[in-house]
Amino acid sequence: MGRRRVSLKDIAKELGVSISTVSRGLKDHYDISPELKKKIKDLAEKWNYTPNPLAMGLLKQKTKTIGVIVPDIVTYFYASIISGIESKATENGYYIVIASSQESIEKEKENVKNLLDLRVDGFIVCLSQSTNSFEHFDEIGDSEIPLVFFDRICRKKEFSSVIIDNVSAAKELTMHLVENGYSNIAHIAGPSHLNISKERIEGYKYGLDQCKLPYREELLEHCDLSIDDAARATNKLLRNHPLPDAIFGVNDTVIFSAMKEIRKRNLKVPDDIALVGFTDEFHATVVEPNLTAVTHPTFEMGREAFSLLLEEIENEVSRDIKQTVLQAKLIPRESSSFKKANKVQ
Amino acid sequence: MGRRRVSLKDIAKELGVSISTVSRGLKDHYDISPELKKKIKDLAEKWNYTPNPLAMGLLKQKTKTIGVIVPDIVTYFYASIISGIESKATENGYYIVIASSQESIEKEKENVKNLLDLRVDGFIVCLSQSTNSFEHFDEIGDSEIPLVFFDRICRKKEFSSVIIDNVSAAKELTMHLVENGYSNIAHIAGPSHLNISKERIEGYKYGLDQCKLPYREELLEHCDLSIDDAARATNKLLRNHPLPDAIFGVNDTVIFSAMKEIRKRNLKVPDDIALVGFTDEFHATVVEPNLTAVTHPTFEMGREAFSLLLEEIENEVSRDIKQTVLQAKLIPRESSSFKKANKVQ
DNA sequence: GTGAAAGCGCTAACAC
DNA sequence: GTGTTAGCGCTTTCAC
């Protein structure tokens, strides 16, 4: 049930002084006699006093708590970002409350409401896959509570955000495939209302263009980022003649799903089809063959998101909207190396 | 900065009634005239009133917040359990604050202190790998704040916990290897102060015994659960003559690390060495070959941990300590199938 | 140098 | 039926 913790009152009573004296004594106020100050501090120490954050919150209208809303907690990408947020938050004396939208806009709306009700000092949010309208963030903006988006963002002009340069990363990835001898490159994109989908498609087309390859509609397939729909998209692409010799996936879920489908047909990666994706360190090196991918600096993204947020929380006067663009890194691995290797040999 | 939200006071002023009338009106108290009640409710609705949890917390000495301390957030196992906790907590109107011990007892102590300072209503904890003393949980016990451990536990008599039956799962896994034709089975165990290490070793020995195989000291190696130390342990085991024909790892990190070392030596899994572990659905099916493993019902473990905690939070009178033992499931996959397959052919 | 009092938002016991 | 008051724990202004 939770036995009451010591309060200033308890200490005051014990010492026969008033509550305000104790309060002042603990924070080296003007003039409390040094002896009294010492007595107060010693007793507080002994009794393990810490200020009640609820009382402080009420008074200061600050909870030292921030709300984090992510599409899911389990995916390495989000877990790792949460980890970055947590590390920076802890360093700064903030607590983080996690809420998962489970890729559903309805859940996301509820999460916003719940965390608003909790009176968090700020939000860090990555949009759910199904979030195609953004009015539920109005209330956050209206209450002047800082909000930082990461990865899947919206309303860039109104809210700060942390992203990677999707266009150039996607361009680089596409060109990497061409350089390694692939020319029939398909792309499995995400839902078209998400910024990440649009930007990666743009980079894909840009990369093809740079390499004087035509963009062909039948090699672009959208999916909803679920394993099943990624499988469907893969199979659709595999019905092309000639077969694509490379698939570039919008994220790791898509790529893993594609890999399974490709294996089912007894095609080899990268011999028959190269696979590259936007993904993260961990999984990419565990699968066989290792996956060529653009890796996000996830931990750093989390820390940066919190930093931006903290700035806004502390600068009560001027809130300027910032956008941090972090560098993603192309890491070539086995899954896209076949043709080049053959040529070289 | 956070514009003040509407309070009862605001509504009271607008309606020209007292604060307590508003409070009562909102919760259908005895007797407030129906018309007034309606006026109050309508205005509250219109102005988007929700009770301030800080004020409620102060008053009720309950925060509707629980602290979760895990060794890390990024590992699928923990992320998935957190996800289970979050889902059940949200259903019950609780918030969860996540803290990561980063496998360090010092960080774990800090986390306990911080969350205690935050006045959480309860704790859900998985011990860090380096936690070999348990006094830092005294304060939680003394303050009569409920605490539920999961997976890596201590002080079973004092705190509730959620675990799997490690002994029989490890036994089953060992016997599975023997049944599939392996007989020179090594085990990479965790730190000896952790319950999971001890119990899995016990199961391993028990399994060997059941199959009339001798336990041999040189086939048991402890490691600290880091990738590097798991690699060291693997290499130590691989210096045995004859080579072990199977390695059973205490968890997934260990197994992935072992797999990399085995490949470095151009040994094949499962042809030369079978690999089995305690791990989770996701990774096991992504690696090639798929991993035979005892899978934890992680999401369910999280939900169960919260359920136990909630019971204790709500039953202020009698706190009985419960231990939930969930069923782990052996899932045979490719990584332990070779010898049997050969024999059968 | 130290205490009293107000107020952050809310509930509940007690008035009338 | 509705208002007043005290109190949850704390800070801060104003007295003395």
Side-chain angles (χ1 to χ4, degrees):
Chain A
M1 123 94 278
R3 215 197 293 283
R4 244 190 71 259
R5 301 229 352 212
V6 283
S7 67
L8 291 185
K9 200 179 180 183
D10 301 320
I11 298 182
K13 192 185 283 174
E14 175 76 9
L15 258 35
V17 296
S18 77
I19 294 176
S20 32
T21 302
V22 177
S23 170
R24 283 184 286 228
L26 285 174
K27 52 186 40 142
D28 283 323
H29 217 66
Y30 298 61
D31 31 28
I32 299 284
S33 65
E35 314 86 66
L36 218 199
K37 221 182 265 181
K38 179 156 171 30
K39 268 170 66 181
I40 291 172
K41 286 188 174 172
D42 286 352
L43 188 59
E45 170 90 355
K46 182 179 158 206
W47 280 1
N48 226 323
Y49 169 82
T50 57
N52 185 320
L54 297 167
M56 298 292 273
L58 246 196
L59 203 60
K60 298 276 168 70
Q61 303 285 5
K62 295 258 179 227
T63 53
K64 287 277 183 179
T65 296
I66 65 155
V68 177
I69 305 178
V70 287
D72 78 81
I73 299 177
V74 174
T75 303
Y76 178 88
F77 179 71
Y78 298 113
S80 174
I81 284 179
I82 290 172
S83 184
I85 296 172
E86 194 261 351
S87 96
K88 190 90 187 178
T90 303
E91 283 174 28
N92 287 277
Y94 277 78
Y95 298 93
I96 63 169
V97 176
I98 309 280
S100 153
S101 67
Q102 289 154 219
E103 298 282 16
S104 136
I105 184 172
E106 295 311 325
K107 263 287 242 164
E108 187 175 281
K109 287 180 187 172
E110 267 184 59
N111 292 335
V112 168
K113 187 188 166 337
N114 287 339
L115 292 170
L116 231 24
D117 288 352
L118 184 61
R119 268 67 167 178
V120 294
D121 290 345
F123 282 88
I124 295 180
V125 176
C126 177
L127 296 180
S128 99
Q129 182 208 111
S130 56
T131 300
N132 51 7
S133 71
F134 313 110
E135 296 81 34
H136 49 302
F137 297 111
D138 283 347
E139 206 181 338
I140 298 180
D142 292 347
S143 0
E144 291 172 18
I145 297 173
L147 160 58
V148 173
F149 283 111
F150 72 88
D151 199 47
R152 303 182 189 164
I153 67 174
C154 64
R155 300 180 159 199
K156 305 196 220 198
K157 304 285 173 228
E158 299 159 65
F159 300 109
S160 291
S161 50
V162 180
I163 49 169
I164 61 154
D165 185 345
N166 283 299
V167 176
S168 51
K171 185 193 82 177
E172 197 186 347
L173 198 49
T174 308
M175 293 177 70
H176 160 85
L177 285 168
V178 177
E179 280 161 18
N180 277 21
Y182 300 93
S183 58
N184 210 7
I185 302 166
H187 177 45
I188 301 180
S192 46
H193 57 269
L194 291 182
N195 62 303
I196 54 169
S197 310
K198 286 185 267 192
E199 292 162 8
R200 289 173 197 172
I201 291 175
E202 193 186 330
Y204 162 68
K205 291 181 178 173
Y206 191 27
L208 290 176
D209 195 57
Q210 287 280 303
C211 300
K212 318 266 185 252
L213 285 174
Y215 158 65
R216 302 218 318 277
E217 226 173 73
E218 67 271 25
L219 290 183
L220 174 65
E221 186 65 26
H222 283 272
C223 79
D224 70 8
L225 303 182
S226 71
I227 292 182
D228 290 345
D229 203 43
R232 180 201 54 73
T234 306
N235 286 316
K236 176 121 183 266
L237 291 172
L238 293 180
R239 279 196 289 276
N240 273 296
H241 295 286
L243 221 53
D245 59 3
I247 298 180
F248 157 23
V250 68
N251 75 4
D252 51 353
T253 316
V254 165
I255 283 297
F256 289 131
S257 182
M259 188 178 274
K260 284 190 186 169
E261 295 307 310
I262 289 171
R263 287 209 174 115
K264 275 190 201 158
R265 299 185 173 221
N266 288 316
L267 295 169
K268 291 256 172 266
V269 178
D271 311 36
D272 300 311
I273 300 190
L275 279 181
V276 299
F278 273 67
T279 175
D280 51 69
E281 266 316 282
F282 185 72
H283 293 149
T285 61
V286 161
V287 294
E288 190 85 353
N290 286 189
L291 225 52
T292 295
V294 171
T295 64
H296 289 66
T298 44
F299 192 76
E300 198 194 335
M301 281 181 82
R303 289 181 63 89
E304 176 63 17
F306 185 83
S307 297
L308 287 185
L309 187 67
L310 189 61
E311 247 180 78
E312 288 197 41
I313 290 176
E314 289 180 345
N315 276 345
E316 317 201 353
V317 251
S318 70
R319 257 184 77 200
D320 37 23
I321 305 311
K322 290 191 187 166
Q323 189 150 28
T324 302
V325 180
L326 292 175
Q327 212 40 56
K329 208 164 113 197
L330 171 61
I331 306 197
R333 296 203 187 84
E334 300 160 16
S335 74
S336 64
S337 61
F338 182 70
K339 293 220 171 172
K340 185 180 189 176
N342 272 18
K343 267 203 261 179
V344 168
Q345 274 164 1
Chain B
M1 124 92 281
R3 216 198 293 282
R4 244 191 70 257
R5 300 221 3 206
V6 282
S7 67
L8 291 186
K9 201 179 180 182
D10 300 320
I11 298 182
K13 192 185 283 173
E14 175 75 9
L15 259 35
V17 295
S18 77
I19 295 176
S20 33
T21 302
V22 178
S23 170
R24 280 184 288 227
L26 286 174
K27 51 186 41 143
D28 283 323
H29 217 66
Y30 297 63
D31 31 26
I32 301 284
S33 65
E35 313 87 67
L36 220 198
K37 221 183 265 182
K38 178 154 173 32
K39 267 169 65 181
I40 291 172
K41 286 188 174 173
D42 287 352
L43 188 59
E45 169 91 353
K46 182 179 157 207
W47 281 1
N48 226 323
Y49 168 82
T50 57
N52 184 320
L54 297 166
M56 298 293 274
L58 247 195
L59 202 62
K60 298 275 169 73
Q61 304 285 2
K62 295 258 179 226
T63 54
K64 287 277 183 181
T65 296
I66 66 154
V68 176
I69 304 178
V70 287
D72 78 81
I73 300 176
V74 175
T75 303
Y76 178 88
F77 180 72
Y78 298 114
S80 173
I81 284 178
I82 290 172
S83 184
I85 296 172
E86 194 260 353
S87 96
K88 191 89 187 178
T90 303
E91 283 175 26
N92 288 277
Y94 276 78
Y95 298 94
I96 63 168
V97 175
I98 309 279
S100 153
S101 66
Q102 289 154 219
E103 297 284 15
S104 137
I105 183 172
E106 297 310 326
K107 263 289 241 164
E108 185 175 283
K109 286 180 187 172
E110 268 183 57
N111 292 335
V112 168
K113 185 188 168 337
N114 287 338
L115 292 171
L116 230 24
D117 288 352
L118 183 62
R119 267 66 167 179
V120 293
D121 290 344
F123 282 87
I124 295 180
V125 177
C126 178
L127 297 179
S128 100
Q129 180 207 114
S130 56
T131 301
N132 51 8
S133 72
F134 313 109
E135 296 81 34
H136 49 302
F137 298 111
D138 283 347
E139 206 181 338
I140 298 179
D142 292 348
S143 356
E144 292 171 19
I145 297 173
L147 159 59
V148 173
F149 284 110
F150 71 88
D151 198 46
R152 304 182 188 161
I153 67 173
C154 65
R155 301 181 161 198
K156 305 196 221 199
K157 304 284 174 229
E158 299 159 66
F159 300 108
S160 292
S161 49
V162 180
I163 49 170
I164 62 153
D165 184 345
N166 283 299
V167 177
S168 49
K171 185 192 81 178
E172 196 186 349
L173 198 49
T174 309
M175 293 176 70
H176 160 83
L177 285 168
V178 178
E179 281 161 17
N180 278 22
Y182 300 94
S183 58
N184 210 7
I185 301 166
H187 177 44
I188 301 180
S192 47
H193 56 269
L194 291 182
N195 63 302
I196 54 168
S197 312
K198 287 185 267 192
E199 292 162 7
R200 288 173 198 174
I201 291 174
E202 193 187 331
Y204 162 67
K205 292 181 179 172
Y206 191 28
L208 291 176
D209 195 56
Q210 289 279 301
C211 300
K212 316 268 185 250
L213 285 174
Y215 158 67
R216 302 219 319 275
E217 227 172 70
E218 66 272 24
L219 290 182
L220 174 65
E221 186 65 27
H222 282 273
C223 79
D224 71 9
L225 302 184
S226 70
I227 292 181
D228 290 344
D229 204 44
R232 181 202 53 73
T234 306
N235 287 316
K236 176 122 184 263
L237 290 173
L238 293 181
R239 281 196 289 277
N240 272 295
H241 294 286
L243 222 52
D245 59 5
I247 298 181
F248 156 23
V250 68
N251 74 5
D252 50 354
T253 317
V254 165
I255 284 297
F256 289 131
S257 182
M259 189 179 272
K260 283 189 187 169
E261 295 308 309
I262 288 171
R263 287 208 174 116
K264 275 190 202 159
R265 302 186 170 220
N266 289 317
L267 295 171
K268 292 253 173 270
V269 178
D271 310 36
D272 301 310
I273 299 188
L275 279 182
V276 299
F278 273 67
T279 177
D280 50 69
E281 266 317 282
F282 185 73
H283 293 150
T285 60
V286 161
V287 294
E288 190 85 353
N290 286 188
L291 226 52
T292 295
V294 171
T295 65
H296 289 65
T298 44
F299 191 76
E300 196 194 335
M301 280 180 83
R303 288 181 63 89
E304 176 63 17
F306 185 84
S307 297
L308 287 185
L309 187 66
L310 189 61
E311 247 180 78
E312 288 196 40
I313 289 176
E314 288 180 344
N315 276 344
E316 318 202 350
V317 253
S318 71
R319 256 184 78 200
D320 39 23
I321 306 309
K322 289 192 187 166
Q323 191 149 26
T324 303
V325 180
L326 292 175
Q327 212 41 55
K329 207 164 114 197
L330 172 61
I331 304 197
R333 296 202 187 84
E334 300 160 16
S335 75
S336 64
S337 59
F338 183 70
K339 294 221 173 172
K340 187 180 189 177
N342 272 19
K343 266 201 261 179
V344 169
Q345 276 167 358

